[in-house]
Amino acid sequence: MQVYLPIAEVSVSIFLLIGLGGIVGILSGLFGVGGGFLMTPLLFFIGIPPAIAVATEANQIVASSFSGALAHLRRKTVDLKMGWILVSGGLIGSGIGVQIFKVLRDLGQVELLVTLCYVFFLGIIGSLMLWESIRALIRSNNNIRPVKIKRHNWVHRLPLKIRFRTSNLYISCIPPFIIGALVGFLAAIMGVGGGFILVPVMIYIIGMPTKVVIGTSLFQIIFVTGFTTLLHSTQNYSVDALLALILLIGGVVGAQIGTRLGVYLKAEQLRILLAILVLAVCIKLGLELLIEPTELFSLQEITK
Amino acid sequence: MKKILLLTFLVLFMASKFIYAEENNDALVSDIEDKVVEITSNFNGSELFIFGSREMNDNITEGIKSGIIIEVIATAKTRKIRKKERKFGIWVNDGEKVLEGVPDFYYINSSENIEELLSEDEINNNDIGIINHLTKNNNDVNSDFINALIRIKKRKNLYQFKEGELEFKNDILFSTKVNLPNNIGEGFYVIKTHLTDGTNVTSVDKQLLVVKKIGLGNFLFEMAHKTPLIYGIFSILVALFAGWAASETFRRLRG
């Protein structure tokens, strides 16, 4: 059964879309990743114009992060003060990102920017994930304890210090603001929540306790992707609400299945598969830039 | 069933033609089955049935071909076409042209090859064929770009070339089916039927087809373009509601 997507202006099989949403949902439930960084390139591969894929994915992440954040808010595992600082940075980053996106779209270079960003970030994440999971396998076999994280580093010497009661921290608000802005920028140009950057930075650089990290990052992602959705719809008219809704249906069900599967499966070993998948998407996007395309010309509707 | 329907159409059509014969002196009459194509959320293409009749002209000398050319041309729009070049080892867009008067959809069908039905001057004067049409509107644009546009559109089945494929039921009646793919755009589609005497166009008949979006898809499209701020807020609210509903549902399921 085909569904005509009103903003993307293409007909796609509804089962394909629900299936994609479901698979990415299962992966995100299984590994605790947002899934935006996999869904957006998959949307390119099935023929959704990149500008539409990015903006629509931001819209979908509003739903998945809200759903996740609700559970954390109930358990009070959200550092709201830290969250708001991350949000304020995120809004600025997103604003800058959407403006750059708009300018490059008019110049016909937005696809290039999005693809380059994906090749770069997927390459880094995939390699790190693969490296980490191989090390974890070796570690579990040899029973070596992980290295303890240092809680005092250069971050603690910066000015404008604020006390964060929930995180039990007294640090400068500059690093969270900057990392919030970077994630907001990536949300605008890549259609990702940015949890894959936010979470490690919060743990390793800011030094937040692990139990509040996921909830706080989800809290920030709701506002930032919401704002990004709003900006993309007013600046680029590129949010396809119907596409977002269909992906959502597969996504939320998949995430629940994934969470339960995680109980039975050894996620550490499966993480290698996720790493390989991420690297495969990275390589496919990279090759598209390197190999001479069969059609050198492309047609664009003028959106004014 | 479909065949019977088509036959009935033809018969009724011919009957109306004879009834109004005195008022209508045209040697050519054409019509289409449906005047409107609606793009719904589950739109998966449509078929346009074009039919008509030509009057056999006694004055035409033996051996000269009288023929029919049918064109379907969608509303002309402005489009941008870009060309990729290799820069720093990767393929990037470099160089673009704005093309005017580009129809989203184009179809041509004829009883013989166009060159056999019309002289070259007459083809140009009557603007027949998509290349003529595009070249006239963009005479400063390199033909590479125009050819690329046609190639891309043809691959998407949005430009269809069926020259020489039109068949007659007898010497008078003709009909054809145009396959409108699921990626056609909104607009007014002009169906132009030309009667030729081997050199010149002797008669032209035009019909109009309206292609429009309806239903949920149209509602969203209109809102996204006319009130983007409200659409943005609406998209966020839908997502928030879906997120909340998912969280509640699975919380209940877990007990």
Side-chain angles (χ1 to χ4, degrees):
Chain A
M1 199 175 88
Q2 300 282 313
V3 58
Y4 183 83
L5 304 171
I7 309 299
E9 298 193 294
V10 287
S11 262
V12 190
S13 159
I14 192 163
F15 303 114
L16 178 67
L17 291 179
I18 291 179
L20 274 186
I23 290 166
V24 175
I26 289 174
L27 291 175
S28 64
L30 204 52
F31 301 107
V33 293
F37 70 96
L38 276 178
M39 184 57 95
T40 313
L42 289 178
L43 291 177
F44 304 164
F45 297 156
I46 64 164
I48 308 292
I52 310 274
V54 166
T56 303
E57 200 39 36
N59 188 202
Q60 194 210 331
I61 296 169
V62 174
S64 52
S65 56
F66 186 56
S67 169
L70 280 176
H72 284 276
L73 282 169
R74 264 185 237 115
R75 276 184 260 144
K76 298 204 182 345
T77 47
V78 179
D79 185 336
L80 287 176
K81 202 172 184 182
M82 181 66 83
W84 286 120
I85 291 174
L86 290 167
V87 169
S88 58
L91 299 188
I92 291 168
S94 163
I96 295 168
V98 173
Q99 284 313 310
I100 290 176
F101 196 90
K102 186 179 158 68
V103 170
L104 288 176
R105 196 185 184 191
D106 292 340
L107 293 173
Q109 301 299 348
V110 79
E111 272 188 63
L112 180 68
L113 172 75
V114 174
T115 314
L116 284 176
C117 280
Y118 267 100
V119 170
F120 179 74
F121 282 104
L122 292 181
I124 289 178
I125 299 161
S127 315
L128 284 177
M129 224 187 262
L130 193 64
W131 174 240
E132 266 299 312
S133 42
I134 291 171
R135 272 205 344 176
L137 272 182
I138 297 167
R139 207 185 293 143
S140 67
N141 290 342
N142 296 346
N143 224 352
I144 300 166
R145 286 181 178 207
V147 189
K148 204 167 180 270
I149 307 152
K150 275 185 274 175
R151 295 273 307 230
H152 273 271
N153 52 23
W154 56 271
V155 170
H156 295 261
R157 291 193 290 274
L158 291 170
L160 293 171
K161 286 194 171 186
I162 298 181
R163 188 165 298 284
F164 297 94
R165 288 248 156 72
T166 322
S167 298
N168 196 19
L169 278 176
Y170 180 62
I171 59 151
S172 163
C173 61
I174 297 170
F177 184 83
I178 290 173
I179 193 63
L182 174 68
V183 167
F185 181 77
L186 293 183
I189 58 174
M190 292 174 73
V192 293
F196 62 90
I197 289 180
L198 210 45
V199 170
V201 167
M202 285 159 98
I203 295 174
Y204 297 110
I205 296 175
I206 300 176
M208 283 169 72
T210 326
K211 70 169 169 76
V212 296
V213 163
I214 304 284
T216 310
S217 81
L218 285 173
F219 177 81
Q220 192 246 12
I221 290 169
I222 304 170
F223 289 92
V224 172
T225 51
F227 188 60
T228 305
T229 305
L230 199 63
L231 288 182
H232 271 307
S233 41
T234 52
Q235 303 287 304
N236 297 315
Y237 312 104
S238 50
V239 176
D240 198 313
L242 188 61
L243 175 59
L245 193 64
I246 296 169
L247 292 175
L248 257 174
I249 295 167
V252 290
V253 177
Q256 295 300 323
I257 297 171
T259 314
R260 286 179 202 187
L261 275 179
V263 181
Y264 305 103
L265 297 171
K266 278 198 168 178
E268 277 306 317
Q269 285 164 18
L270 285 175
R271 200 173 283 271
I272 292 182
L273 292 179
L274 179 67
I276 291 167
L277 178 66
V278 167
L279 287 175
V281 173
C282 166
I283 290 165
K284 180 162 165 48
L285 286 171
L287 286 179
E288 277 173 18
L289 290 175
L290 291 174
I291 295 172
E292 179 169 357
T294 42
E295 178 60 82
L296 287 177
F297 293 86
S298 59
L299 186 63
Q300 196 215 350
E301 204 167 324
I302 295 180
T303 43
K304 280 274 155 66
Chain B
M1 184 60 207
K2 186 108 191 180
K3 272 209 166 144
I4 298 169
L5 199 72
L6 298 185
L7 259 172
T8 323
F9 257 111
L10 284 175
V11 170
L12 283 175
F13 177 72
M14 287 307 294
S16 67
K17 181 177 147 53
F18 285 122
I19 291 166
Y20 297 106
E22 269 175 90
E23 298 160 37
N24 189 353
N25 287 325
D26 277 344
L28 169 75
V29 187
S30 71
D31 209 350
I32 52 176
E33 190 178 11
D34 301 308
K35 307 278 184 197
V36 178
V37 169
E38 289 172 337
I39 303 179
T40 55
S41 286
N42 57 2
F43 180 70
N44 197 21
S46 180
E47 237 173 29
L48 170 67
F49 183 60
I50 306 169
F51 56 96
S53 76
R54 63 169 172 181
E55 196 171 87
M56 292 303 282
N57 196 334
D58 298 336
N59 297 336
I60 292 176
T61 343
E62 284 275 327
I64 291 179
K65 270 177 183 150
S66 155
I68 296 284
I69 302 168
I70 300 174
E71 284 181 294
V72 180
I73 310 162
T75 317
K77 288 177 184 165
T78 306
R79 289 285 181 270
K80 204 179 258 180
I81 187 152
R82 296 201 166 92
K83 192 184 179 195
K84 279 199 165 81
E85 298 274 357
R86 193 196 278 271
K87 288 230 167 145
F88 312 108
I90 56 172
W91 290 90
V92 297
N93 283 332
D94 183 44
E96 59 177 42
K97 287 277 183 290
V98 173
L99 296 181
E100 302 289 345
V102 179
D104 270 343
F105 180 87
Y106 178 81
Y107 167 95
I108 188 164
N109 195 347
S110 56
S111 52
E112 312 279 338
N113 282 335
I114 308 291
E115 293 74 25
E116 289 175 44
L117 294 173
L118 291 171
S119 68
E120 206 170 299
D121 287 346
E122 193 70 356
I123 295 176
N124 289 329
N125 292 340
N126 285 282
D127 227 2
I128 291 170
I130 190 67
I131 295 188
N132 273 332
H133 187 80
L134 289 172
T135 314
K136 226 172 230 181
N137 284 310
N138 304 282
N139 45 25
D140 54 333
V141 175
N142 189 319
S143 62
D144 279 0
F145 283 85
I146 293 176
N147 291 335
L149 173 91
I150 295 172
R151 196 166 60 234
I152 292 167
K153 286 283 194 183
K154 199 178 165 189
R155 203 177 302 132
K156 292 180 177 174
N157 215 13
L158 287 168
Y159 283 6
Q160 301 175 11
F161 304 94
K162 313 271 183 196
E163 282 150 76
E165 291 180 23
L166 186 71
E167 285 183 15
F168 288 90
K169 292 273 176 288
N170 45 45
D171 273 346
I172 298 165
L173 295 174
F174 59 88
S175 72
T176 182
K177 270 185 209 160
V178 184
N179 170 27
L180 301 172
N182 62 18
N183 49 353
I184 52 166
E186 272 191 306
F188 295 103
Y189 287 51
V190 178
I191 293 104
K192 255 180 166 176
T193 309
H194 310 258
L195 179 68
T196 76
D197 66 358
T199 329
N200 298 313
V201 173
T202 54
S203 182
V204 180
D205 199 29
K206 285 182 190 174
Q207 301 295 329
L208 199 63
L209 173 75
V210 180
V211 176
K212 60 179 184 186
K213 292 178 178 174
I214 62 153
L216 176 68
N218 184 50
F219 171 73
L220 291 175
F221 182 85
E222 291 286 314
M223 181 160 64
H225 286 90
K226 285 182 182 155
T227 52
L229 185 63
I230 295 171
Y231 175 80
I233 294 168
F234 167 81
S235 304
I236 295 169
L237 290 179
V238 169
L240 288 177
F241 176 77
W244 172 80
S247 145
E248 281 303 300
T249 311
F250 289 104
R251 203 157 66 112
R252 299 254 161 91
L253 280 180
R254 278 200 196 113

